[in-house]
Amino acid sequence: MDFVMKQALGGATKDMGKMLGGEEEKDPDAQKKEEERQEALRQQEEERKAKHARMEAEREKVRQQIRDKDP
């Protein structure tokens, strides 16, 4: 019967303990990885905001040129 259950569950047998209330495996570097991930997200957000600010400044420059041309 065990063999049949293992075959039916495939690779999920490792996770069965977690699903049944067992302890999760602790990754010793999990906190460090999370901090690095958060820092990468902050950096990406800053780069995105800078890019949008540059684009908006360029648009405003074009708008002002159009305003200056119209009498």
Side-chain angles (χ1 to χ4, degrees), residues 15-53:
D15 298 328
M16 285 299 290
K18 292 179 198 172
M19 291 191 293
L20 297 174
E23 297 234 354
E24 290 187 29
E25 296 176 19
K26 300 280 182 179
D27 184 5
D29 296 329
Q31 185 175 0
K32 182 179 178 185
K33 288 178 183 177
E34 180 62 21
E35 289 172 1
E36 290 175 356
R37 188 182 74 79
Q38 290 291 331
E39 180 59 33
L41 288 174
R42 276 193 292 276
Q43 185 177 357
Q44 288 175 347
E45 183 68 16
E46 289 173 10
E47 290 171 1
R48 185 187 69 78
K49 286 182 179 182
K51 177 182 173 184
H52 285 280

